[in-house]
Amino acid sequence: MPVYKAPVEDVMFLLSDVFPIERHNNLPGFAEATPDMVEAILGEGAKLCEDIFAPLNLSGDQEGCVRHPDGSVTTPKGFKEAYQAYAGGGWMGLSVPEEYGGQGLPMTLNTLMQEFISSANLALGMYPGLTQGAMAALLVHGTDEQKRTYLPKMVEGAWTGTMNLTEPHCGTDLGLLKTKAVPNGDGSYAITGTKIFISAGEHDLAENIVHLVLARIEGAPAGTKGISLFVVPKFLVREDGSLGDHNGVSCGSLEHKMGIHGNATCVMNYDGARGWLIGEANRGLNAMFVMMNEARLAVGVQGLSQSEVAYQNAVAYAKERLQGRALTGPKFPDKPADPIIVHPDVRRTLLSIKSFNEAARALLVWTALKSDIAHRSTDEAERQQADDHMGLMTPVVKGVLTDLGFDCAVKAQQMFGGHGYIEEWGMSQFVRDARITMIYEGANGIQAMDLVGRKLGKDGGRAIMAFFNEVGAFCQENAGDENLKGFVAPLQQGLGHLQQATMWFMQNAMAKPDNAGAGATDYMHLFGLVAMGYMWAKMAKAALARKAQGNGVADRMDSKILTGRFFMERTLPETATRLARITTGADTTMALPMEAF
């Protein structure tokens, strides 16, 4: 059976040395989040994930969900008890305000828990993850009555949440949606239509499911300008908070999927279901984007999560599997062969994954802290800077971390040879589960276009210039540090490539938009490489400082620095290739006639 151990030690290095969490004690919820408290919380979360969630991952994949003739859905054996352990431990409301039953702690802690949960059991972790996204949308755009009605029960875990966007004929282009909303005359609307690919749309884990549904009010403008968002509970809620009649919403079928078999991905039918408007009429996308941006960051976490758990299993296998002898002579002469971890190509593969995982985790922590600042700071300039960062980094985190997370899961599977292709080892599941992260919550090509087409030029390029300035300043401040030479010089070069690519788009994409479209994915990955290179440079500096303090951590810090050096030497130079692709433009890409494909 596959193994998993939550990387608490690595997380605490990030929160103590790289991005000291105590610097944010001026923000609500942070004063209580002392390093000792954070370590205790994450330690308990790790036990939950390792002992309860992870053992159900393989069996849940094999068993899957079952839809019954009455439309109800049963999740795999053990899922309900595991979910109840999660909800009962107060994890659902970790970062929700105390007035709704939450603990009000930093969202950053919830992001880290999402990694642990997703590594342990991605399919099971999606049920509470979607609920937390729905709560985020209600917190920002819901009325006081809606918050009082739904949030305490969702925080408690008695009710879960979903997001309903996609329809059979429309995915990314939501302006095409047909689900309609007709006023009932009492403040509610009758919602009618079909939604597909609805994760956790129906299940047996909670007594009620709170659906957030995009629909068009009768007479509303065509396109995205006429879309509204509604809260549509599975069971209607009486004035005293108890559950009433079953609403006009049902699961028509379950999708048969490549992976995440333990999560119920549903076709949802709305037949005059009663719903209530969230936020303003015809401005539903504004409200839904709160949930979608939360979800996109969470999906970036999922990309890392599958890479991390696949890596852990690949390392364990590489240390045990005997095959051949080291090129420099036997390392274990008492054994019939050496373990495969002695071979350079195996080490190259494992270090590629390890160096990605640690950089990706740092990027997520950096971005999660910015989210906390954007939502909690009273300093308007600080909030704006953090919000700029979030807007710029969301497509990068979602697109790059899931593309590379999948690639790393495949690399980890490769370490097993033929055994990696056999289901009993569990490596196939990590690959299959990782694959969806590149698709849902906006396919990665769309993320790249969002970055290039919207985020770069937003507010006169304020966000991208702030990123350039921060990374450039770091390089300048540390250029004279001989110990950081192997980090600063390649980072400076990668930053130069990113700046050249940005300038090329400014000069060549306005008159010819296809140039932006043809280079968008390469630009997103070029940006991701530089961002992760910056993370490694910051981690290396922190590791050197920590090592100088002593405290018996020299070996661990040396390993950290060596892993970072591998990234800077073997991965970051790919920025040159990305730049070369971008600057070839779109001519060849667009020249082939449609009939020739």
Side-chain angles (χ1 to χ4, degrees):
M1 177 181 286
V3 297
Y4 174 65
K5 182 172 177 59
V8 176
E9 194 174 68
D10 191 56
V11 166
M12 290 310 301
F13 169 70
L14 292 173
L15 293 178
S16 299
D17 297 87
V18 185
F19 305 104
I21 195 168
E22 290 180 307
R23 290 182 182 172
H24 304 289
N25 280 353
N26 61 309
L27 301 179
F30 275 79
E32 296 80 11
T34 63
D36 288 345
M37 172 69 80
V38 169
E39 189 167 16
I41 290 171
L42 294 178
E44 286 302 310
K47 291 177 186 176
L48 174 72
C49 296
E50 295 164 2
D51 299 340
I52 297 178
F53 275 46
L56 298 172
N57 196 35
L58 187 60
S59 61
D61 178 65
Q62 294 169 342
E63 184 180 342
C65 296
V66 177
R67 179 187 177 276
H68 303 286
D70 64 356
S72 63
V73 172
T74 302
T75 54
K77 183 179 178 181
F79 271 39
K80 187 170 186 177
E81 292 76 15
Y83 171 80
Q84 289 172 341
Y86 176 89
W91 297 103
M92 191 75 80
L94 196 63
S95 58
V96 176
E98 294 180 54
E99 63 185 296
Y100 301 111
Q103 298 171 52
L105 291 167
M107 191 276 281
T108 301
L109 296 188
N110 191 59
T111 299
L112 292 165
M113 269 300 293
Q114 284 180 339
E115 185 204 330
F116 296 176
I117 291 165
S118 298
S119 285
N121 194 322
L122 177 56
L124 177 53
M126 289 171 66
Y127 294 97
L130 285 156
T131 305
Q132 288 163 341
M135 288 193 291
L138 286 167
L139 276 166
V140 175
H141 291 284
T143 64
D144 289 342
E145 182 181 357
Q146 287 169 345
K147 293 174 188 177
R148 288 194 302 270
T149 299
Y150 298 106
L151 288 177
K153 284 291 187 180
M154 295 171 81
V155 168
E156 182 186 329
W159 300 353
T160 60
T162 71
M163 57 191 296
N164 287 238
L165 290 79
T166 308
E167 299 182 7
H169 55 281
C170 80
T172 301
D173 190 354
L174 290 169
L176 299 175
L177 73 77
K178 296 179 179 177
T179 299
K180 66 179 181 179
V182 179
N184 287 324
D186 61 356
S188 69
Y189 292 77
I191 311 295
T192 301
T194 297
K195 299 288 185 178
I196 63 170
F197 306 156
I198 308 306
S199 301
E202 175 61 34
H203 55 78
D204 59 349
L205 304 184
E207 62 185 17
N208 200 11
I209 303 174
V210 181
H211 301 289
L212 301 192
V213 184
L214 287 180
R216 194 183 307 279
I217 298 172
E218 275 193 326
T224 56
K225 293 181 179 179
I227 297 174
S228 299
L229 180 65
F230 299 87
V231 56
V232 187
K234 173 183 173 180
F235 287 99
L236 298 171
V237 183
R238 299 189 182 100
E239 287 189 12
D240 63 0
S242 63
L243 296 182
D245 296 336
H246 196 297
N247 207 352
V249 54
S250 61
C251 171
S253 64
L254 290 179
E255 305 288 2
H256 297 279
K257 312 184 296 290
M258 175 180 175
I260 53 169
H261 295 152
N263 194 269
T265 306
C266 304
V267 174
M268 299 300 297
N269 296 321
Y270 292 86
D271 185 14
R274 290 184 70 191
W276 288 263
L277 185 67
I278 298 176
E280 297 178 45
N282 304 330
R283 292 181 59 82
L285 283 185
N286 286 15
M288 183 58 87
F289 266 120
V290 173
M291 186 172 186
M292 288 173 68
N293 286 333
E294 290 264 341
R296 285 170 177 169
L297 292 172
V299 173
V301 173
Q302 291 175 357
L304 164 62
S305 76
Q306 297 311 287
S307 178
E308 174 65 31
V309 68
Y311 167 77
Q312 290 187 18
N313 284 274
V315 168
Y317 186 80
K319 289 178 179 179
E320 296 173 359
R321 174 69 170 176
L322 304 182
Q323 199 85 95
R325 290 295 188 185
L327 296 176
T328 52
K331 301 301 180 188
F332 293 83
D334 58 322
K335 295 181 178 181
D338 288 333
I340 63 173
I341 200 166
V342 304
H343 303 309
D345 194 61
V346 169
R347 285 171 165 259
R348 176 193 63 80
T349 302
L350 294 175
L351 274 168
S352 296
I353 308 171
K354 178 178 172 62
S355 62
F356 162 74
N357 289 350
E358 294 187 27
R361 184 172 298 114
L363 184 58
L364 283 165
V365 168
W366 186 35
T367 305
L369 285 168
K370 294 291 188 182
S371 178
D372 274 317
I373 293 169
H375 288 100
R376 300 177 187 226
S377 177
T378 57
D379 185 316
E380 187 175 345
E382 189 178 48
R383 279 203 317 273
Q384 182 190 80
Q385 188 274 335
D387 197 55
D388 285 351
H389 175 98
M390 291 291 294
L392 185 67
M393 283 296 176
T394 295
V396 176
V397 166
K398 197 283 183 184
V400 174
L401 268 56
T402 59
D403 274 355
L404 297 184
F406 173 76
D407 287 348
C408 288
V410 173
K411 288 176 181 176
Q413 183 188 35
Q414 185 76 8
M415 293 295 90
F416 285 71
H419 295 293
Y421 203 66
I422 304 301
E423 292 292 345
E424 68 182 272
W425 287 86
M427 300 305 289
S428 165
Q429 183 186 356
F430 302 140
V431 172
R432 289 184 286 103
D433 284 359
R435 186 64 185 89
I436 186 56
T437 65
M438 303 160 71
I439 298 171
Y440 63 10
E441 305 309 337
N444 286 355
I446 299 297
Q447 302 301 323
M449 284 301 299
D450 177 46
L451 175 64
V452 170
R454 294 180 64 245
K455 301 301 173 59
L456 290 188
K458 190 174 185 291
D459 299 312
R462 188 174 65 205
I464 188 68
M465 291 307 299
F467 178 81
F468 289 163
N469 291 338
E470 179 171 346
V471 179
F474 179 92
C475 292
Q476 187 173 4
E477 290 165 10
N478 296 281
D481 189 335
E482 196 64 26
N483 291 319
L484 284 175
K485 186 176 180 181
F487 290 86
V488 173
L491 176 59
Q492 184 79 63
Q493 185 176 46
L495 177 63
H497 292 156
L498 181 60
Q499 290 170 323
Q500 289 176 59
T502 307
M503 183 61 68
W504 191 89
F505 277 144
M506 290 175 63
Q507 295 170 345
N508 295 277
M510 292 295 289
K512 193 173 183 180
D514 281 343
N515 281 330
T521 291
D522 280 302
Y523 185 88
M524 179 179 73
H525 277 276
L526 171 51
F527 197 121
L529 285 166
V530 174
M532 288 189 287
Y534 179 43
M535 294 297 96
W536 266 121
K538 288 180 72 69
M539 285 190 284
K541 183 173 182 177
L544 287 165
R546 182 78 177 274
K547 184 180 174 182
Q549 295 172 5
N551 301 328
V553 297
D555 288 347
R556 189 157 65 87
M557 293 302 104
D558 283 342
S559 296
K560 180 77 66 177
I561 293 165
L562 277 169
T563 303
R565 281 176 54 193
F566 178 92
F567 183 91
M568 306 308 275
E569 294 172 3
R570 302 291 294 249
T571 302
L572 190 57
E574 293 171 14
T575 57
T577 301
R578 298 290 183 179
L579 175 62
R581 289 175 180 169
I582 291 165
T583 55
T584 60
D587 289 350
T588 304
T589 301
M590 303 307 295
L592 194 66
M594 191 183 303
E595 298 75 24
F597 278 91

